[in-house]
Amino acid sequence: MYFAVICRDKPGALQIRLDTREKHLAYIKETGIVFMAGPFIEEGQMAGSLVILETDSLEAAKDWAAGDPYAAAGLFESVSVQEWKKVIG
């Protein structure tokens, strides 16, 4: 099953994102359940994240989101996790 983790950064939090990026990317690599991911861009700057996870349950996806170093660093204003269906691609 796929789940979308949709995160919006707090206003003015770009430096938190930049400072935590390597830990975030290492977390993605070590957990091994990220199908695809990338930042939202607003006015040329990273302003949030879309992460598609491949895992067995919504609970596991929420646990992954809670363990993200970006979340621990207080980067996000909001986080939403919901089941997602791949149709094209």
Side-chain angles (χ1 to χ4, degrees):
M1 297 170 53
Y2 293 109
F3 296 89
V5 180
I6 302 163
C7 308
R8 303 300 298 179
D9 294 0
K10 292 177 182 174
L14 179 60
Q15 194 59 51
I16 295 171
R17 176 177 281 276
L18 296 174
D19 292 345
T20 313
R21 187 168 172 80
E22 291 305 315
K23 288 180 184 176
H24 168 74
L25 294 175
Y27 180 68
I28 286 174
K29 186 176 179 179
E30 73 186 37
T31 57
I33 64 170
V34 176
F35 176 68
M36 69 173 71
F40 292 117
I41 305 295
E42 292 179 0
E43 299 178 13
Q45 300 286 331
M46 294 180 284
S49 301
L50 172 62
V51 181
I52 306 297
L53 303 175
E54 187 172 6
T55 189
D56 294 332
S57 68
L58 179 60
E59 187 68 28
K62 287 181 177 181
D63 288 347
W64 186 95
D68 184 348
Y70 279 165
L75 174 62
F76 300 131
E77 181 174 62
S78 66
V79 176
S80 167
V81 181
Q82 62 187 68
E83 190 172 349
W84 178 79
K85 182 179 179 181
K86 179 182 173 191
V87 176
I88 299 172

